[in-house]
């Protein structure tokens, strides 16, 4: 039977690829997509999720729900320099051969449901069955915990793309973007006792697609998916070339979806992990207790952390799913 999942996301080019991967994977039953502000402001994230569902979603589509606009972190930084001003690589640049606009945003319904309410409703319907895949800041899940922690504890699993355990951060030297954007929410979630699997930069930075692979993949894919892959990724690849000297897109969020489907794509270690919420320079840092000596004073482990990844396995899975017709 397919795993029932909710995907909480801030699309984001790699979020878009993660959503497409999930929607094309029979192992998952996507019950809802909930949006959060992160890479782009909430309204743009919601528009993007709606566009992606319109282009690549099943009919009828899963529920789309809007998250809360304000994160407890109150960060104003977005990642538009990486993902483009629209979060999807500036899709309005692209035209069809006949001159018409290639990507038309469908009008977003005004009355979209609230992300927290949808999560709590689905948990009432499917207690102990739902997996939450979190691809953005943890604002919505923290909000749900504040509203009804008892109900949220009926999640079967939470797979989170976020954190940097043994590697530097990507938004500051210490912090990974999703955790940095709402560190209070992340700390609340980490301390909640939920069964968490963390997919941090330690593993996500090892899975990437280079321009040649993107081109080959796009040619093997059906339309409009192939064009979307090239169009949406070109800005990120260029950003990575200029800023990090690596011409590639890192598949952070798709790896989290991969792990929700097949846990053997990564090797996890059970660790005690907390988030720095007080400090200035290290705000949003994920601190894991990696000390080899254990004693009675240590805090109990709370998170399964992915520290190794089978890169080949994931990439061939990802490519196969995108090319599947
Ligand atoms: C995470 O930050 C975002 O920019 C990506 O979508 C991913 O979720 C990587 O740090
Ligand atoms: Ca994301």
């Amino acid at each position: 039977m397919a795993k029932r999942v909710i995907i909480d996301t801030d699309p984001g080019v790699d979020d878009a690829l993660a959503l497409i991967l999930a929607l094309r994977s029979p192992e998952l039953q996507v019950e809802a997509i909930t949006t959060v502000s992160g890479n782009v402001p909430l309204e743009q994230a919601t528009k993007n999720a709606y566009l992606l569902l319109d282009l690549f979603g099943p009919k009828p589509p899963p529920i789309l729900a809007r998250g809360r606009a304000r994160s407890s972190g109150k960060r104003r930084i977005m990642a538009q320099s990486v993902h483009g001003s629209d979060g999807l690589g500036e899709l309005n640049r692209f035209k069809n051969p006949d001159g018409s606009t290639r990507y038309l945003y469908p009008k977003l319904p005004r009355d979209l449901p609230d992300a927290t309410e949808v999560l709590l409703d689905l948990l009432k319907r499917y207690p102990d069955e739902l997996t939450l895949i979190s691809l953005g800041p943890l604002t919505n899940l923290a909000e749900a915990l504040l509203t009804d922690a008892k109900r949220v504890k009926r999640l079967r699993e939470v797979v989170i793309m976020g954190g940097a355990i043994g590697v530097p951060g990507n938004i500051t030297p210490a912090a990974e973007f999703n955790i940095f954007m709402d560190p209070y929410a992340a700390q609340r979630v980490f301390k909640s006792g939920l069964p968490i699997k963390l997919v941090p930069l330690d593993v996500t930075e090892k899975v990437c697609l280079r321009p040649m692979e993107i081109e080959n993949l796009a040619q093997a894919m059906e339309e409009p998916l192939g064009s979307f892959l090239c169009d949406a990724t070109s800005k990120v690849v260029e950003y990575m070339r200029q800023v990090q000297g690596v011409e590639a897109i890192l598949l952070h969020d798709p790896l989290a979806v991969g792990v929700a489907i097949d846990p053997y794509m990564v090797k996890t270690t059970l660790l005690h992990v907390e988030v720095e919420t007080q400090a200035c320079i290290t705000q949003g840092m994920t601190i894991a207790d990696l000390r080899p000596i254990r004693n009675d004073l240590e805090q109990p482990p709370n998170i399964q952390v992915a520290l190794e990844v089978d890169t080949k396995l994931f990439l061939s899975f990802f490519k196969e799913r995108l090319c599947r017709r």
Side-chain angles (χ1 to χ4, degrees), residues 16 19-20 23 33 45-64 88 91 101-109 223-225 228:
L19 287 175
I20 292 166
L23 293 167
I33 292 172
T46 311
K47 278 186 192 161
N48 290 349
Y50 198 52
L51 172 72
L52 293 163
L53 278 177
D54 185 54
L55 288 172
F56 310 117
K59 307 277 179 277
I63 300 168
L64 175 65
L88 294 179
L91 292 179
T101 308
R102 190 176 295 171
Y103 300 98
L104 278 177
Y105 275 86
K107 200 169 164 17
L108 198 60
E223 282 301 320
L225 192 51
F228 177 80

Side-chain angles (χ1 to χ4, degrees), residues 9-12 14-15 39 135-136 178 253:
T9 176
D10 60 335
D14 64 321
D15 298 75
N39 287 320
L135 307 178
N178 288 341
D253 293 341

